[in-house]
Amino acid sequence: GSLPATIRIPEAANVSINIYDVSGRFVESLVNGAVKPGHHKVTWSPHEAPTGIYIVRCVAGGKRESLKVALIR
């Protein structure tokens, strides 16, 4: 399976979207670089990640957001 998400970027910005496990260890980077304004589809395909809780961290133009997701196999 995969975890699709749509993000809205109001103005051009450097964006990073990273996945971490619940203990804070880096798992994967989904986006890392300049992104134009608009809606963008991002998908995490956790082929090798075990069942568990993960944190999706998005940093864009100085704003930070985190989302907790559960991966169930």
Side-chain angles (χ1 to χ4, degrees), residues 2-65:
S2 63
L3 175 69
T6 300
I7 60 169
R8 184 181 72 82
I9 304 296
E11 57 189 41
N14 284 323
V15 175
S16 68
I17 301 176
N18 296 320
I19 309 292
Y20 297 87
D21 68 15
V22 75
S23 66
R25 286 183 295 234
F26 175 81
V27 174
E28 186 174 346
S29 179
L30 303 181
V31 177
N32 190 18
V35 176
K36 294 180 181 179
H39 289 84
H40 303 274
K41 187 172 182 176
V42 178
T43 302
W44 179 38
S45 299
H47 299 294
E48 296 180 18
T51 294
I53 303 295
Y54 292 85
I55 308 298
V56 181
R57 289 192 184 140
C58 178
V59 178
K63 290 188 176 185
R64 296 174 184 258
E65 288 194 30

